[in-house]
Amino acid sequence: MSDLTRLGAAELAEKLAGGEVTSVDVTRAHLERIGEVDSRLHAFLHVGEESAMATAADVDARRAAGEDVPTLAGVPVAVKDLINTTDQPTTAGSRMLEGWVPPYDATVVARLRAAGLPILGKTNLDEFAMGSSNEHSAYGPTRNPWDTDRIPGGSSGGSAAAVASHEAPLALGTDTGGSIRQPGAMTGVVGMKPTYGGVSRYGVVAMASSLDQVGPMARSVLDAALLHEVVAGHDPLDSTSIDAPVPDVVAAARRGDVSGLKIGIVRELGGEGFQPGVQAAFDGAVEQLAQAGAEVVEVACPSFRHGIAAYYLVMPSEVSSNLARFDAMRYGLRVSPEGVPDPSAEQVMSASRDAGFGDEVKRRIVLGTYALSSGYYDAYYGSAQKVRTLIARDFAAAFEQVDVLVSPTAPTTAWRLGEKSDDPLAMYLEDVCTIPANLAGVPGLSLPVGLADDTGLPVGVQFLAPALADDRVYNVAAALERLVAAPVLEEVR
Amino acid sequence: MTTATQKIVPFDEAITRYDPVMGLEVHVELNTATKMFCGCATAFGAEPNTQVCPVCLGLPGALPVVNAKAVESAIRIGLALSCDIAEWCRFARKNYFYPDMPKNFQTSQYDEPIAFDGYLDVEVPLEEGGTRTVRVEIERAHMEEDTGKSLHVGGATGRIHGADHSLLDYNRAGIPLIEIVTRTIHVPAELAPAVARAFVTQLRDLIVALDVSDARMDQGSLRADVNLSLSPKDSGVLGTRSETKNVNSFRSVERAVRYEIGRHAGVLDAGGSILQETRHFHEANGSTSAGREKSDADDYRYFPEPDLAPVAPSREWVEELRGTLPEPPSERRRRLQAEWEFSDLDMRDTVGAGALDLVAATVAAGTTPAAAKKWWLGELARRANEDGTDLADLPITPEQVAAIQGLIDAGRVNDKLARQVFEGVLAGEGTPDEVVSTRGLEVVSDDGALGDAVDRAIEANPDVAQKIRDGKVQAAGALIGAVMKEMRGQADAGRVRELVLEKLS
């Protein structure tokens, strides 16, 4: 492994700015690393060597010419394959979009390009971001670099594994119910879901529009903040994008000071049902924060217990509508039904959707179609929206008492591939801690705090703050990052 | 399906036994420069699939952004229909699969329309002459996007069934639409067809006055659906309704209502039941045929559109827009009647003939109200009736009518010649001046030519001439007639009379 892949984004940026290394060297080192380990991990669905190297060469040339380039210019990044790129296919982890090359870049990709970050490739994911393990990728699962018999979490499991295994210093993921934070916890990397509306969703294949959010993944809090700063900010193409200045997340990540801050442990997110090794690592982390000067209290968020139920109504409802466009008419897979000599458009649509979507996607489309049906709407979708309001009120009440909330990111460490495949409900429960933030639109960051003493696998702690206070979670996470022994993966195992 | 044996009960008979229950839905395509949720152009008639982008093609990841101009137009339409304007409303997704709908849901509004609870007072022409004012209540006006267009190639009917293949044009997908929905219209049965036509006509006038749409029925920028059911007279029992689409002219609105009343009556008389379905109107023979079967089981799974922020027009903005409204049609009618010094009957005839705007424009071009009314309700109404078209669709402009009246006032043509000028203009022979010169219609008042003709008339009628010399001046008519005949009606009759009397005094 080249030394360059051991460095974080901030360090690489410094060396690039100082002329110690070139982006071509840095980018090539990461591409070589991908070549070396990805056959065992399957973190990437597509490697964009040519375009990444072209960007790198361009940035080097501009630097050499004395041009003033953005901070992260030349630092390579991996992009979840749910996010549109004009120079690389975007499959959403589905057969439905196999080989599809979008005619337009997502806004976040346009911002990466404008900031001069070479895009190494597109990372693996659960199909259309539906899953917590990456086992639902139509192209085969990504494996956890800490133990390749285990899942990396999901749905941004490819991005998490790529960062954890030093294939990329930075990656973009998306988080609808925990899909950045949970794989972050499973693989020992920092994963941040920004405030809803903080980062543009334009050009990101939609799963559940009112919940989806793009965010950074990195091996340090500062690196995540640097990438956050590049992609965040108002986008007129996304009506749900917030037209307000982006909080200074980089300054917060550099500050890392919890003295005088009030931190609330969410009573409902811990204890029974949580793996002892996870709970112990979490308790230790909280103890560290208290010692660093934070006032730690316990707060009640009683409606959080209904979060999963509400999420599994709102999310599939929106999924059922968002995925209706995949009908074989304009793009994507087209399959003619077998044994039908002169099929109608409807029969082609039906056959294509049957062949193109995997079981988990179909399960959610059926759930959502049912939940929105006339006669059931009020009982299901309507009630779920009310629960959302209650959860938002719990957050509001909690943030009257404390500055930041804290919980484990997930109840367990990474499980073995196939372990929960036959039990979708058990898998859904893995998102119990992360879902409330999506339902309420607040920011949440998962920080690796060490290895569980029972499984020896990474554990993540999640910080939550009020909407638009993304800087607060970076500040607290940066403080804790200095106090705990971050898990360092020496080699894929 | 309609069968060949289906009996259509004559309208007059049907309404002796049934009361129609009627509602109208009108779709108005707005004339905004760009689409409802993206920046694509909206020009009519462009090459297929050239006015499209990721948003209106429903590409993965694309997101909508509301066109503020379309919201403004929706509010102005709502205000002009005396609606309340929502302080806060949302878009909703109407989910169903169809190849010309890029996302397989239509972004529309469901239970939170931008405008609601309004009315339009329409003047309905009566068969016995005159008009009656009917208040049509508006349930709602809401914003939505249009779908693409399917072109079915190969089938006999241009419909999807039996077609070899279909072509899809997404230029229309995403064009902003306002859907205006009336409440049930309660009128005497015999008036229903005329009310339907008058409503759509006068709604069109309002839309045009607001300048928010071309409102061309023939191009589909104004589309009217007729919802109709029959209730056995005095039974209070509601029937099953049909929804007739593809009604492409004002006249067709009226015909569609008449036909459906007769068709429903035929089915009910035979003890059958009406299917809840969409019907297609056929311009050629005024009939309807079965379209898609609809049922209450059609479930569009509406839910609030999560990709769009709610629309919350400020009261200040709404009031500002209220200030931009054109004069309400009923007030305008009162004002014009006073200005024109028309009797109530004159006014009702004018409105009933659909000639109000035409007369107004003719007056604006310099003609007296009485003369303008005389032409539009006389010569031109007769022509429109002969051609089976609306007055407004005749190939003559109010400015041309004013020009012809100007020729009369200047003494260049008389009334009789003027009718020939109208004929020439309607036949596409050019402007009134051009018709006068190409057809040689100008009145001759030149003394040389007239004098010669008078001399010839005196010579040919010595007896008459002698009577005039003897003082029987009324006998001059015979000589004038002879001159007019010789000059094919183009002589200035007054001058001829003067010349006759001069020469024989």
Coordinates of all heavy atoms in Angstrom, one line a residue, chain B residues 405-447:
Chain B
Q405 N -68.2 50.1 -43.8 CA -69.2 51.1 -43.3 C -68.6 52.5 -43.7 O -69.3 53.4 -44.1 CB -69.4 51.0 -41.8 CG -70.5 52.0 -41.3 CD -71.8 51.9 -42.0 OE1 -72.3 50.8 -42.2 NE2 -72.4 53.0 -42.4
G406 N -67.3 52.6 -43.6 CA -66.6 53.9 -44.0 C -66.9 54.2 -45.5 O -67.1 55.4 -45.8
L407 N -66.8 53.2 -46.3 CA -67.1 53.4 -47.8 C -68.5 53.9 -48.0 O -68.7 54.7 -48.8 CB -66.9 52.0 -48.5 CG -65.4 51.5 -48.5 CD1 -65.4 50.1 -49.2 CD2 -64.5 52.4 -49.3
I408 N -69.4 53.3 -47.2 CA -70.8 53.7 -47.3 C -71.0 55.2 -46.9 O -71.6 56.0 -47.6 CB -71.8 52.9 -46.5 CG1 -71.7 51.4 -46.9 CG2 -73.2 53.4 -46.5 CD1 -72.4 50.4 -46.0
D409 N -70.4 55.5 -45.7 CA -70.5 56.8 -45.2 C -69.9 57.9 -46.2 O -70.3 59.0 -46.3 CB -69.8 56.9 -43.8 CG -70.5 56.1 -42.8 OD1 -71.7 55.7 -43.0 OD2 -69.9 55.8 -41.7
A410 N -68.8 57.5 -46.9 CA -68.2 58.4 -47.8 C -68.9 58.4 -49.1 O -68.5 59.1 -50.1 CB -66.7 57.9 -48.0
G411 N -70.0 57.6 -49.3 CA -70.7 57.6 -50.5 C -70.1 56.9 -51.6 O -70.5 56.9 -52.8
R412 N -69.0 56.1 -51.3 CA -68.3 55.4 -52.4 C -69.1 54.1 -52.8 O -69.0 53.7 -53.9 CB -66.9 55.1 -52.0 CG -66.0 56.3 -51.9 CD -64.6 56.0 -51.5 NE -64.0 55.0 -52.4 CZ -63.0 54.3 -52.0 NH1 -62.4 54.5 -50.9 NH2 -62.5 53.4 -52.9
V413 N -69.8 53.5 -51.8 CA -70.7 52.4 -52.2 C -72.0 52.7 -51.5 O -72.1 53.4 -50.5 CB -70.1 51.0 -51.8 CG1 -68.9 50.7 -52.5 CG2 -70.0 50.9 -50.3
N414 N -73.0 52.0 -52.0 CA -74.3 52.1 -51.3 C -74.5 50.8 -50.6 O -73.7 49.9 -50.7 CB -75.5 52.4 -52.3 CG -75.4 51.4 -53.4 OD1 -75.0 50.2 -53.3 ND2 -75.9 51.8 -54.6
D415 N -75.6 50.7 -49.9 CA -75.8 49.4 -49.1 C -75.8 48.2 -49.9 O -75.3 47.2 -49.5 CB -77.2 49.5 -48.4 CG -77.1 50.1 -47.0 OD1 -76.1 50.8 -46.7 OD2 -78.0 49.8 -46.2
K416 N -76.4 48.3 -51.1 CA -76.5 47.1 -51.9 C -75.1 46.7 -52.4 O -74.7 45.5 -52.3 CB -77.4 47.4 -53.2 CG -77.9 46.2 -53.9 CD -79.0 46.6 -54.9 CE -79.2 45.4 -55.8 NZ -80.0 45.9 -57.0
L417 N -74.3 47.6 -52.8 CA -72.9 47.3 -53.2 C -72.1 46.8 -52.0 O -71.2 46.0 -52.2 CB -72.2 48.6 -53.8 CG -72.8 49.0 -55.2 CD1 -72.2 50.4 -55.5 CD2 -72.5 48.0 -56.2
A418 N -72.4 47.4 -50.9 CA -71.7 47.0 -49.7 C -71.8 45.5 -49.4 O -70.8 44.8 -49.0 CB -72.2 47.8 -48.5
R419 N -73.0 45.0 -49.7 CA -73.1 43.5 -49.5 C -72.2 42.7 -50.4 O -71.7 41.7 -50.0 CB -74.6 43.1 -49.8 CG -75.5 43.5 -48.6 CD -77.0 43.3 -48.9 NE -77.7 44.4 -48.3 CZ -78.0 44.5 -47.0 NH1 -77.7 43.5 -46.2 NH2 -78.6 45.5 -46.5
Q420 N -72.0 43.3 -51.6 CA -71.0 42.6 -52.5 C -69.6 42.7 -52.0 O -68.8 41.8 -52.2 CB -71.1 43.2 -53.9 CG -72.4 42.8 -54.6 CD -72.4 43.3 -56.0 OE1 -71.5 43.0 -56.8 NE2 -73.4 44.1 -56.4
V421 N -69.3 43.8 -51.3 CA -68.0 44.0 -50.8 C -67.8 42.9 -49.7 O -66.7 42.3 -49.6 CB -67.7 45.4 -50.2 CG1 -66.3 45.5 -49.7 CG2 -68.0 46.5 -51.3
F422 N -68.8 42.8 -48.8 CA -68.7 41.7 -47.8 C -68.4 40.4 -48.4 O -67.6 39.6 -47.9 CB -70.0 41.7 -47.0 CG -70.1 42.7 -45.8 CD1 -71.0 43.8 -45.9 CD2 -69.3 42.5 -44.7 CE1 -71.0 44.7 -44.8 CE2 -69.3 43.4 -43.7 CZ -70.2 44.5 -43.7
E423 N -69.2 40.1 -49.4 CA -69.0 38.8 -50.1 C -67.6 38.6 -50.6 O -67.0 37.5 -50.4 CB -70.0 38.8 -51.3 CG -70.6 37.5 -51.7 CD -71.5 37.7 -52.9 OE1 -72.7 38.0 -52.6 OE2 -71.0 37.5 -54.0
G424 N -67.0 39.7 -51.2 CA -65.7 39.6 -51.7 C -64.6 39.4 -50.6 O -63.7 38.5 -50.6
V425 N -64.8 40.1 -49.5 CA -63.9 40.0 -48.3 C -64.0 38.6 -47.8 O -62.9 37.9 -47.5 CB -64.1 41.0 -47.3 CG1 -63.2 40.8 -46.0 CG2 -63.8 42.4 -47.8
L426 N -65.2 38.1 -47.6 CA -65.4 36.7 -47.0 C -64.8 35.7 -47.9 O -64.4 34.6 -47.5 CB -66.9 36.5 -46.7 CG -67.5 37.3 -45.6 CD1 -69.0 37.2 -45.6 CD2 -66.9 36.8 -44.2
A427 N -64.8 36.0 -49.2 CA -64.3 35.0 -50.2 C -62.8 35.1 -50.3 O -62.2 34.4 -51.1 CB -64.9 35.2 -51.6
G428 N -62.2 36.0 -49.5 CA -60.7 36.0 -49.5 C -60.2 36.8 -50.6 O -59.0 36.6 -51.0
E429 N -61.0 37.8 -51.2 CA -60.5 38.5 -52.3 C -59.6 39.7 -51.9 O -59.2 40.5 -52.8 CB -61.7 39.0 -53.2 CG -62.3 37.8 -53.9 CD -63.7 38.2 -54.5 OE1 -63.9 39.4 -54.8 OE2 -64.5 37.3 -54.7
G430 N -59.5 39.9 -50.6 CA -58.6 41.0 -50.2 C -59.3 42.0 -49.3 O -60.4 41.7 -48.7
T431 N -58.7 43.2 -49.1 CA -59.3 44.2 -48.2 C -60.6 44.8 -48.9 O -60.7 44.6 -50.1 CB -58.3 45.3 -48.0 OG1 -58.1 46.0 -49.2 CG2 -57.0 44.8 -47.5
P432 N -61.4 45.5 -48.2 CA -62.6 46.1 -48.8 C -62.2 47.0 -50.0 O -62.8 46.9 -51.0 CB -63.2 46.9 -47.6 CG -62.8 46.2 -46.4 CD -61.4 45.6 -46.7
D433 N -61.2 47.8 -49.8 CA -60.7 48.6 -51.0 C -60.4 47.8 -52.2 O -60.7 48.1 -53.3 CB -59.5 49.5 -50.5 CG -60.0 50.8 -49.9 OD1 -61.1 51.3 -50.2 OD2 -59.2 51.3 -49.1
E434 N -59.6 46.7 -51.9 CA -59.2 45.9 -53.0 C -60.4 45.2 -53.7 O -60.5 45.1 -55.0 CB -58.3 44.7 -52.5 CG -56.9 45.2 -52.3 CD -56.1 44.3 -51.4 OE1 -56.6 43.2 -51.1 OE2 -55.0 44.7 -51.0
V435 N -61.4 44.8 -52.9 CA -62.6 44.2 -53.5 C -63.3 45.2 -54.3 O -63.8 44.9 -55.5 CB -63.5 43.6 -52.4 CG1 -64.8 43.1 -53.0 CG2 -62.8 42.5 -51.7
V436 N -63.5 46.4 -53.8 CA -64.2 47.5 -54.6 C -63.5 47.7 -55.9 O -64.2 47.8 -57.0 CB -64.2 48.8 -53.7 CG1 -64.6 50.0 -54.6 CG2 -65.2 48.7 -52.6
S437 N -62.2 47.8 -55.9 CA -61.5 48.1 -57.2 C -61.5 46.9 -58.1 O -61.8 47.0 -59.3 CB -60.2 48.7 -57.0 OG -59.3 47.7 -56.5
T438 N -61.2 45.6 -57.6 CA -61.2 44.5 -58.5 C -62.6 44.1 -59.0 O -62.7 43.7 -60.2 CB -60.6 43.2 -57.8 OG1 -61.3 43.0 -56.6 CG2 -59.1 43.4 -57.6
R439 N -63.6 44.3 -58.2 CA -64.9 44.0 -58.6 C -65.6 45.2 -59.3 O -66.7 45.1 -59.8 CB -65.8 43.5 -57.5 CG -65.5 42.2 -56.9 CD -66.7 41.6 -56.1 NE -66.5 40.3 -55.7 CZ -67.4 39.5 -55.2 NH1 -68.7 40.0 -55.1 NH2 -67.2 38.3 -54.7
G440 N -64.9 46.4 -59.3 CA -65.5 47.6 -59.9 C -66.8 48.0 -59.3 O -67.8 48.2 -60.0
L441 N -66.8 48.1 -58.0 CA -68.1 48.3 -57.3 C -68.4 49.7 -57.0 O -69.4 50.0 -56.5 CB -68.1 47.4 -56.0 CG -68.1 45.9 -56.2 CD1 -68.1 45.2 -54.9 CD2 -69.3 45.5 -57.0
E442 N -67.4 50.6 -57.3 CA -67.6 52.0 -56.8 C -68.8 52.7 -57.5 O -69.1 52.5 -58.7 CB -66.3 52.8 -57.1 CG -66.3 54.1 -56.2 CD -64.9 54.3 -55.8 OE1 -63.9 53.6 -56.2 OE2 -64.7 55.3 -55.0
V443 N -69.5 53.4 -56.7 CA -70.7 54.2 -57.2 C -70.2 55.2 -58.2 O -69.2 55.9 -57.9 CB -71.4 54.9 -56.0 CG1 -72.3 56.0 -56.4 CG2 -72.2 53.9 -55.2
V444 N -70.9 55.4 -59.3 CA -70.6 56.4 -60.3 C -71.3 57.7 -59.9 O -72.6 57.7 -59.9 CB -70.9 56.0 -61.7 CG1 -70.5 57.1 -62.7 CG2 -70.1 54.7 -62.0
S445 N -70.6 58.8 -59.7 CA -71.3 60.1 -59.4 C -70.8 61.1 -60.3 O -71.0 62.3 -60.2 CB -71.2 60.4 -57.9 OG -69.8 60.4 -57.6
D446 N -70.0 60.7 -61.3 CA -69.4 61.6 -62.3 C -70.5 62.1 -63.3 O -71.2 61.3 -63.9 CB -68.3 60.8 -63.1 CG -67.9 61.6 -64.3 OD1 -67.6 62.8 -64.2 OD2 -67.9 60.9 -65.4
D447 N -70.7 63.4 -63.4 CA -71.8 64.0 -64.1 C -71.8 63.7 -65.6 O -72.8 63.5 -66.3 CB -71.9 65.5 -64.0 CG -72.5 65.9 -62.7 OD1 -72.9 65.0 -61.9 OD2 -72.6 67.1 -62.4

